[in-house]
Each structure stands twice: as structure tokens, then as C-alpha cells.
Amino acid sequence: MKPSPPAPGAAPTYEIQSLLHPEPIARPDLEELRQGLSFAFASGVSGGLFNQALDRAPLAPSTWDPKSFAPDLFLEELVARGFRVRAGGRDAVVNRAFILRVLAHPPSDPGVTDFRRGILRELSASPVFRRQFEEIYAIACRLRAALEGASAGKKFDPTRRQLDVLSLIKEAFDRMSESFDGARSGLSRLREFGASVRETEGYRSMVDLLDYDEHLATLGLTIRVGADGRVRGFELRNLRERQDNPFVLSPARRWLARLEMFFRGYRFSEGELMARLLDAVFEGIEEHVVRFIPLLGEMEVYLGALGFRDLAEAAGLEVCLPEIRQPAEGTDDQPRALLGLFNPLLVASGVRAVPCDIVTDRTGATVLITGPNSGGKTRLLQSVALAQLLAQGGMFVPAREANLVRVPGLVVSLIQETRVDQSEGRLGMELVRIRALFETLGPGAMVMLDELCSGTNPSEGEEIFELVISLLAKLRPQAFITTHFLTFAGRLARENAIAGLRFIQVGLDAAQRPTYQFVAGVATTSLASHAAARLGVSRDELEALIDRNMRAPAVRARES
């Protein structure tokens, strides 16, 4: 693709095809990347060329602010453990920061989301396409290693290294041009990119030089072997030099060329001549290679998503590419369905995750969640938020089936850690959290609040709680809020005075143990006594601990 002309007085801006965006994306740093690539080819040290390309890579516009949700969703841990990329049968060293940045900025344009979904759909549906995608990525990793000085500290032939780099470049473009036959998604771009490069003069010169290096001449030998199996001798039968390669000169022409250079005062070796040839050939292909470099990180996004899908399936769980709709004008009564929803953070940590179904008749509702401690309420908030985040990013969601509505942003507040410098008590910190929520939350956004107003006594907390949810209704959010104010939640359900409230509770089995499922209604007990018994906080057990501690000094005195 040719560079787009810059605006008068502006720095030149170049466009490059992308696997993450349906339209070519402008890169003002492409010339800088080209210079870094030239240095890496010449010296064998890239100075972080590939990471630089991804750190500066522009993304599609997004209205989501990662500071409002990423810490409480442990997004870094999800990328590190759940979006693992494998190449050549082993875990690849990936740019996690780029994957994290892509996931944390869901595009505002639904067309971008659909474009990414199309690629993932074809990669997951076609084992051939996935294998070809992984093979191209493996070649790209080898190219990165060759350019970034993987042999640093070891002796190597600079000419040989540069020839190896050219071989990898040729292999990458050849493989792209031969892959994804019949692809209808953005995967076809790789095939078209590879095919267009192979039509260029620079590519043909590279092929001729590599052919010259590999096939300068062919020798025919006859070997004599004795009765004892030992070689008695050999005879050179013929020597055929390549005549159809533009880099091959006849012996007489090579001798005359050297003689001419000698009398004209030039003193350089054949190695120096080869170095000049390598530089000239690389210059002819360089423009295409610099456009290939950013694709490595974009491929890692898709391979990470496929790795997440593999991880879930290994745990006996299903993921999907959900149905995701635009919010309807003037109404918020579209339903939400998350069937087989599970917490991907648990799966990524190797912990068994129990899937559940979450269905609400309205998406634009405030859902109050009640139930016992350790019943899965906080994990549910994480699951719903991550499903929304991944869905709008065009990735697989942690559910068997999902039907969602797009939101312009996400605010998650699950963890309130005590800080050494905080000037407020628990109530003050909770009020600060509520203030920050309303400063951040826009109309129609999604909000996840864990244990709202739990830092104060119930009578005051309930008053603040009711104020918050009544005002939230004006923003028509998609809100999920957990609470232990059970009597208060029950009253809200009976009075039905606040529009858009929905109530779900942790399901219990016959022994009053949490099933990690959720059903309609308000819990009548938090089962605090069950939790206390499970954790050894009963009268008998605590008195036993007191007796042990009182006996301990006497025991130590006897032993001494």
C-alpha cells in the first residue's frame, strides 16, 4: 500500500493493513520503524523493534477507561494465565502489554468488533486455517529472534545471519500467499499481502540472491568403495554453474571484473561485495517487511483468544462468540442472557469453575444480588463484567451462549483496600467510592458494585443504598450490586417503588450449601453460622483454642 500524502506542514503519516481493524490504520511512526529495521538487519540488534511497533500501535477509538475496571477484574492476570500463546509446541514469549491494551479498549465502532469476530470464527471453525495461522506466527517469531540478536554473545558470520533473515522473510511471504484459500474474513488479507509482495521486483531479487547462495553450482562425483567398505577414491565427473541467475557470472567475467577493479584502485573482498548485495536486496524488500512487523502482535491477540478457548474446553467448559446488539432508541427493555457463564479468572488459575445461567428480562436494569458469603456473588460480578468486555472486544466470552447489549463504558468496584495514607474511615471511604462512581458513570454504562454501603451500620447504610440505586435509575445503567442488607432488599422487592430493579439470590441445596447457581428472589439469611462452622469459628472450637493457649506457657516451662 502506498503512503498517504501528509497534510501541509505535518509529519508524513502512513497507512498499514491490520488484522484488528477493517480499515487501514494510520501510523506516523512507520518511517522510524523502517530505520530501526535497517539497523537491525545490518547489526543484528533491533533495540526492541517489535515491542516498539506494538507500544506505539494505534487502536480503534474506544469510550472505555481501563482505570475504571481493569484492576478489579485482574485483567493483567487473565492475559498472563488465560491468553497463553503457543508456537511450535511451546509457550511463546508475547507482548502481553499489547494484548492487555487491546482487551481494555473495546472499540466503539461495532464494525471493528464484527471484523475481529469474523477472523476468530474462521480460525476456530477451520483446523487448517488455524494451523496455517500458527505456522506463519512461528516463522514471524523466528524472524524476530534473528533480527533481535538471539545469538548475542556468540560468534556468528554477519553475512550468514543476513542471508538467514532474508530466507525467513521469503518463507513468511511465501507461506502467507499459500494460506487461507477461500477465507472470507480478514484472514484473506494475509494471503493477499503475501501474494502482492511476491509480485514485486524486490522479492524477485531476494529470491535470486538466495538461490545464488544455495545453488551456485552442481558437482557430479563418482566415489570408489573397496570390498571392506572404505572409500578408495572419488572422481569429479562434471561441474555445472547456474546460468539462469542474474547474480551468477561466468569464471572469465568474474576474473575480468576483479582485474578491472584492481587496476581502478578498488580493494575489497568478495565478502564485502556480498554485503553490498545483501544491503541492496534488503532495501528492495524493506518496505514490505516493516508492514509485516506490527502483524506479529495482532496475531498474538487471536492466538491468545484461541488459547483461552482451549483452556476452557480442557476444563470442560464452553465459550462462544455472542450475539451483541446496539441499545434500542428510547427503551431499555431488551433481554440479557448468559448461559453456562463461568469465571475465566478461576479457570486461568486452575480452579474448578461452576457455570451458571443469568437471564434478565431487561438489560437496562439494576440487579441486586443477595446470598451467603462464599456463595459466588463477587465471582459473578467479575464473570458478567469480563463477558461484556470480551464481547465488545470481538473475543470469545466465558459462556456457552450469550445475548448482550453494547455499553459505552464499564465501572467495576469490587475491592476496597485499606491504605496507609487514607484519611477517612470505612464509611468515608465508601462515600468516596460512591462519589467516584457518579463522577465516572455515563448513561447506559455497566456498573458492578460489591457490598455497597457495607462499611457502616445498617440503618444509615440502607438510607445511602436507597439513594444510590434510585439515582442510578436515571442513568439507565446495566448494574449488578451485591448486598447483605437482606431485610432492606426484601422490602425493595415487595414495594417495587424503584423502577428497573431485579433481584437474584445464591441458590442453595438441601443442606443449605451454596450451589453457585443464581435464582430469582431475595435471600432470607446470609448463613453466617454455616460459614463460621466451616471456618472453625464455633464456641467449642474457640474455647479449645483458648485452653490450648493457656496451657502453652506451662508446657514450655516443663520442656525447658
Side-chain angles (χ1 to χ4, degrees):
M1 178 171 293
K2 295 182 179 180
S4 58
T13 299
Y14 301 95
E15 290 184 337
I16 183 169
Q17 291 284 4
S18 170
L19 290 176
L20 292 175
H21 309 93
E23 299 298 328
I25 191 161
R27 288 210 62 143
D29 64 333
L30 205 60
E31 178 60 24
E32 186 177 346
L33 291 178
R34 187 195 64 77
Q35 294 174 4
L37 177 61
S38 297
F39 181 78
F41 181 74
S43 66
V45 180
S46 75
L49 173 68
F50 285 80
N51 285 338
Q52 174 188 333
L54 296 178
D55 291 342
R56 300 183 182 181
L59 297 178
S62 174
T63 56
W64 290 47
D65 181 3
K67 295 191 296 293
S68 299
F69 59 85
D72 287 327
L73 293 183
F74 301 99
L75 210 53
E76 288 189 31
E77 287 80 357
L78 178 63
V79 170
R81 299 181 181 184
F83 276 64
R84 295 167 58 186
V85 176
R86 296 184 64 81
R90 64 181 63 183
D91 287 345
V93 178
V94 303
N95 190 311
R96 291 178 182 169
F98 180 70
I99 299 177
L100 178 64
R101 192 154 65 91
V102 171
L103 295 185
H105 293 85
S108 301
D109 182 1
V112 180
T113 303
D114 292 340
F115 178 77
R116 297 175 185 177
R117 288 158 52 93
I119 291 178
L120 271 182
R121 186 176 291 109
E122 283 200 324
L123 285 174
S124 58
S126 170
V128 173
F129 284 176
R130 179 171 180 176
R131 174 179 53 78
Q132 292 171 342
F133 196 79
E134 291 174 345
E135 288 172 350
I136 294 170
Y137 174 74
I139 297 169
C141 288
R142 288 159 51 203
L143 175 60
R144 176 178 59 190
L147 286 170
E148 291 190 338
S151 301
K154 300 180 182 180
K155 293 183 178 179
F156 63 91
D157 179 357
T159 299
R160 184 71 263 160
R161 184 192 65 81
Q162 290 179 325
L163 285 167
D164 289 343
V165 168
L166 291 180
S167 295
L168 288 169
I169 292 171
K170 177 182 180 299
E171 186 178 359
F173 288 124
D174 286 350
R175 192 64 61 89
M176 282 193 288
S177 68
E178 296 163 357
S179 301
F180 312 119
D181 185 20
R184 302 174 64 87
S185 71
L187 290 175
S188 61
R189 291 184 173 184
L190 290 176
R191 182 180 179 88
E192 293 165 1
F193 184 25
S196 65
V197 171
R198 293 182 70 178
E199 294 296 320
T200 63
E201 184 63 34
Y203 173 87
R204 288 191 290 269
S205 295
M206 178 178 65
V207 171
D208 289 337
L209 181 62
L210 291 172
D211 184 66
Y212 167 75
D213 175 61
E214 292 290 334
H215 304 103
L216 174 61
T218 303
L219 294 174
L221 293 175
T222 299
I223 300 176
R224 297 196 308 276
V225 182
D228 59 357
R230 296 179 180 273
V231 176
R232 294 287 190 263
F234 61 88
E235 177 184 358
L236 178 64
R237 299 295 300 273
N238 57 68
L239 169 62
R240 272 199 323 276
E241 288 194 334
R242 294 288 304 272
Q243 300 300 322
D244 57 348
N245 190 303
F247 289 98
V248 176
L249 300 177
S250 67
R253 290 181 62 191
R254 289 199 296 270
W255 185 84
L256 288 173
R258 290 184 190 177
L259 188 63
E260 179 184 0
M261 292 297 102
F262 176 80
F263 282 112
R264 295 175 71 175
Y266 295 102
R267 303 289 189 272
F268 44 75
S269 65
E270 289 189 8
E272 290 173 305
L273 283 173
M274 188 62 169
R276 297 293 188 272
L277 281 176
L278 285 166
D279 287 342
V281 167
F282 184 73
E283 185 177 348
I285 200 74
E286 187 178 49
E287 176 188 354
H288 309 295
V289 179
V290 80
R291 285 168 167 77
F292 174 70
I293 287 175
L295 294 179
L296 179 65
E298 297 186 348
M299 295 179 77
E300 289 175 350
V301 173
Y302 291 104
L303 290 172
L306 291 169
F308 169 62
R309 176 174 175 261
D310 294 342
L311 186 68
E313 289 183 348
L317 300 165
E318 296 181 63
V319 300
C320 71
L321 292 171
E323 294 295 325
I324 183 164
R325 310 180 306 278
Q326 287 291 103
E329 287 291 334
T331 181
D332 55 7
D333 59 358
Q334 300 180 82
R336 172 196 286 107
L338 287 161
L339 307 182
L341 175 69
F342 64 90
N343 191 304
L345 293 167
L346 293 178
V347 177
S349 300
V351 179
R352 176 176 174 266
V354 179
C356 66
D357 295 343
I358 299 297
V359 179
T360 56
D361 60 330
R362 294 177 53 178
T363 302
T366 296
V367 181
L368 298 188
I369 309 167
T370 56
N373 290 305
S374 302
K377 299 189 301 296
T378 302
R379 292 297 187 182
L380 175 65
L381 298 186
Q382 289 176 332
S383 303
V384 175
L386 286 169
Q388 190 75 32
L389 174 71
L390 295 172
Q392 292 193 211
M395 303 290 109
F396 294 114
V397 303
R400 180 181 73 253
E401 181 181 337
N403 197 313
L404 305 172
V405 173
R406 295 180 67 88
V407 297
L410 171 66
V411 178
V412 180
S413 183
L414 305 183
I415 301 169
Q416 289 294 303
E417 297 180 349
T418 302
R419 302 195 309 268
V420 69
D421 61 340
Q422 74 180 42
S423 58
E424 300 287 348
R426 290 190 64 189
L427 173 59
M429 292 302 296
E430 183 67 2
L431 296 176
V432 168
R433 177 167 77 135
I434 293 169
R435 170 77 185 195
L437 168 67
F438 282 95
E439 288 176 346
T440 306
L441 195 66
M446 174 174 277
V447 58
M448 301 284 162
L449 291 176
D450 197 23
E451 302 297 348
L452 180 61
C453 295
S454 62
T456 185
N457 66 74
S459 61
E460 293 176 332
E462 290 173 6
E463 181 180 348
I464 299 171
F465 195 120
E466 188 165 4
L467 172 66
V468 170
I469 60 175
S470 62
L471 292 178
L472 272 180
K474 294 185 176 183
L475 292 171
R476 296 182 291 103
Q478 299 187 30
F480 287 77
I481 303 174
T482 67
T483 181
H484 279 293
F485 295 159
L486 304 185
T487 303
F488 171 67
R491 176 173 66 81
L492 291 177
R494 290 191 305 273
E495 294 177 354
N496 196 24
I498 300 176
L501 282 186
R502 297 295 184 270
F503 302 85
I504 61 175
Q505 60 178 314
V506 175
L508 302 175
D509 63 15
Q512 295 293 290
R513 292 187 300 261
T515 62
Y516 306 106
Q517 304 299 312
F518 294 86
V519 296
V522 178
T524 57
T525 176
S526 62
L527 298 180
S529 59
H530 287 244
R534 178 171 55 84
L535 298 174
V537 186
S538 65
R539 172 175 288 275
D540 290 343
E541 292 190 62
L542 293 181
E543 286 184 342
L545 291 175
I546 291 172
D547 292 342
R548 185 198 67 183
N549 293 340
M550 293 179 67
R551 290 194 303 270
V555 172
R556 285 196 296 267
R558 287 196 301 270
E559 291 176 348
S560 62

